[in-house]
Amino acid sequence: MPDSPSLPSSAKAIRGAFLDFVGDPFYMAEPDCIRYIPDGLLVVENGKVQAFGAYEAVQQAYTHLETTTYTNNLILPGFIDLHVHYSQTEMIAAYGAQLLEWLNTYVFPTEAKFKDAEHARNIASFFLDELLRNGTTTALVLTTIFPTSVDILFEEAQRRNMRLIAGQVLMSRNAPEYLLNDAKTAYQQTREQIQRWHGKERLLYAITPRFAITSTDEELHLAGELKAEFPDVYVHTHLSENRQEVEYTAELFPNSKDYLNVYEQFGLVGDRSVFAHCVQLDDSAFQRLSEAGAAIAFCPTSNLFLGSGLFRLSQAKSEDYPVKVGLATDVGAGTSLSLLKTMSDAYKIMQLQGESLGAFKASYLATLGAAKALSLDDKLGNFEVGKEADFVVLDLQATPLMALRNSALEADSLNDIAEKIFGMMILGDDRAVRATYVAGALAFGEK
Ligand code: GUN
Ligand code: ZN
């Protein structure tokens, strides 16, 4: 038997059933891109994956390690939420309006409250704990126009050691006075925040114009300058969500050939740009997103809730012009912080287009697919050795109905496990999350 390598006392092992992806199931045969290990061992050291594989094979080299065993559960890489507004947590489920009216009636007054640091702290703390309770370990987050609302979110994420990406929301027109900032001031504030937060521990920065409607040419120009000065920060915004929004954008930017072109003209479309929604997008825009290496945040619960429309996932994942896509909750337009519920609505959106979204593809979009969308697949998204050990332990029998539906847990084939995960993604939510680990440490739930 080989000797156990000497590992620091922080090293530990998790035993259980694991599932992750090593390739994209939209383009590859399932056996080539899915790893399902019914009895596996994950060895974690200093927050990273030290070893991973079948228990019998890995255990021999790590006989003395403290091991936590999860029986009758399924362990997945931590979920990634590719677009969510922490500042809208408290106004989730606001009745009766489509995008522009909904923003004016519910969102803007709620975001105004983030001028108050204590309020921002309470909500940031609540929001991040909710992410963890839902098995989400990384998120790309919108804040508000107030710099303290950004600093506080980053501080709270840092306290939890989460990998989080966020930025100050840029707004300089077409919103109430109390939620407008001067473009030059916002530029300076964003610049300072990039220097303060981007790359600090696990935190990263995103330049975040809210959407074209609320930014002047000057503001988008300055955003483009920042992106040119700091090329490895992200750009994060909304694109083509709602018909009225698209029409209004065309009026405001008569020299742009379409909505995406507004962002293109200001140098905001590249391989670290993430565009939420893209529901009302034509084929040419999909092609340009593909060529730029930009990513789309698919927000199913939000698109249904606001009646925005059906995202054309198949077009985005076409062979000819593949676009990187990840799933996103988009709370407060989204109706849940659970990526499981988000997968469930993604399935229904595809059904309404005469197509189906299988359990593996949906799980991919919430893990490795989203990591690729963020160009963070060298750090996140699966259990490859050296990656950050963020993962979620799921209970496929979490509720009486799920226990009935998934009564036999044994899964001998990929088809068996797909069938069980599908049951969980349609019926499950935060109740299915037994534990969440951040950088190898238990952040929510039970050992
Ligand atoms: N477009 C601009 N702002 C927002 C927002 O807060 N939520 C959604 N869903 N779309 C937007
Ligand atoms: Zn949004």
Side-chain angles (χ1 to χ4, degrees), residues 94-98 101-102 106 305:
Y95 172 76
Q98 295 217 346
E101 186 194 340
W102 173 85
Y106 301 111
F305 183 71

Short mmCIF file of all heavy atoms in Angstrom, two decimals, residues 94-98 101-102 106 305:
data_model
loop_
_atom_site.label_atom_id
_atom_site.label_comp_id
_atom_site.label_asym_id
_atom_site.label_seq_id
_atom_site.Cartn_x
_atom_site.Cartn_y
_atom_site.Cartn_z
N ALA A 94 -43.18 40.57 -6.77
CA ALA A 94 -43.98 41.80 -6.84
C ALA A 94 -44.99 41.68 -7.99
O ALA A 94 -44.61 41.40 -9.13
CB ALA A 94 -43.07 43.01 -7.07
N TYR A 95 -46.24 41.90 -7.68
CA TYR A 95 -47.35 41.53 -8.55
C TYR A 95 -47.54 42.40 -9.80
O TYR A 95 -47.46 43.63 -9.73
CB TYR A 95 -48.65 41.60 -7.74
CG TYR A 95 -49.90 41.42 -8.57
CD1 TYR A 95 -50.25 40.15 -9.01
CD2 TYR A 95 -50.68 42.50 -8.93
CE1 TYR A 95 -51.38 39.97 -9.79
CE2 TYR A 95 -51.81 42.33 -9.72
CZ TYR A 95 -52.15 41.07 -10.14
OH TYR A 95 -53.26 40.89 -10.91
N GLY A 96 -47.78 41.76 -10.91
CA GLY A 96 -48.60 42.30 -11.97
C GLY A 96 -48.01 43.16 -13.07
O GLY A 96 -48.77 43.75 -13.81
N ALA A 97 -46.70 43.26 -13.19
CA ALA A 97 -46.22 44.20 -14.20
C ALA A 97 -45.15 43.55 -15.09
O ALA A 97 -44.52 42.56 -14.70
CB ALA A 97 -45.63 45.43 -13.52
N GLN A 98 -44.97 44.12 -16.28
CA GLN A 98 -43.84 43.72 -17.12
C GLN A 98 -42.67 44.66 -16.86
O GLN A 98 -42.78 45.61 -16.09
CB GLN A 98 -44.27 43.69 -18.58
CG GLN A 98 -45.32 42.61 -18.82
CD GLN A 98 -45.19 41.90 -20.14
OE1 GLN A 98 -44.48 42.34 -21.03
NE2 GLN A 98 -45.87 40.78 -20.27
N GLU A 101 -42.49 48.89 -16.30
CA GLU A 101 -43.39 49.30 -15.22
C GLU A 101 -42.94 48.69 -13.88
O GLU A 101 -42.97 49.34 -12.83
CB GLU A 101 -44.81 48.86 -15.57
CG GLU A 101 -45.86 49.35 -14.60
CD GLU A 101 -47.19 48.62 -14.79
OE1 GLU A 101 -47.42 48.03 -15.87
OE2 GLU A 101 -47.99 48.64 -13.84
N TRP A 102 -42.54 47.45 -13.93
CA TRP A 102 -42.07 46.73 -12.73
C TRP A 102 -40.84 47.44 -12.13
O TRP A 102 -40.76 47.62 -10.91
CB TRP A 102 -41.78 45.29 -13.15
CG TRP A 102 -41.13 44.40 -12.14
CD1 TRP A 102 -41.75 43.68 -11.15
CD2 TRP A 102 -39.74 44.08 -12.06
NE1 TRP A 102 -40.81 42.96 -10.46
CE2 TRP A 102 -39.59 43.18 -11.00
CE3 TRP A 102 -38.61 44.48 -12.79
CZ2 TRP A 102 -38.34 42.66 -10.64
CZ3 TRP A 102 -37.37 43.96 -12.43
CH2 TRP A 102 -37.24 43.07 -11.37
N TYR A 106 -41.63 48.96 -8.47
CA TYR A 106 -41.14 48.16 -7.34
C TYR A 106 -39.63 48.25 -7.12
O TYR A 106 -39.16 48.31 -5.99
CB TYR A 106 -41.49 46.68 -7.54
CG TYR A 106 -42.97 46.40 -7.67
CD1 TYR A 106 -43.51 45.99 -8.89
CD2 TYR A 106 -43.82 46.54 -6.57
CE1 TYR A 106 -44.87 45.72 -9.00
CE2 TYR A 106 -45.17 46.26 -6.68
CZ TYR A 106 -45.69 45.86 -7.90
OH TYR A 106 -47.04 45.58 -8.01
N PHE A 305 -41.91 35.05 -15.15
CA PHE A 305 -42.60 35.92 -14.19
C PHE A 305 -42.95 37.27 -14.80
O PHE A 305 -44.07 37.77 -14.62
CB PHE A 305 -41.72 36.11 -12.95
CG PHE A 305 -42.37 36.92 -11.86
CD1 PHE A 305 -43.42 36.39 -11.12
CD2 PHE A 305 -41.95 38.20 -11.58
CE1 PHE A 305 -44.04 37.13 -10.12
CE2 PHE A 305 -42.56 38.96 -10.59
CZ PHE A 305 -43.61 38.42 -9.86
#
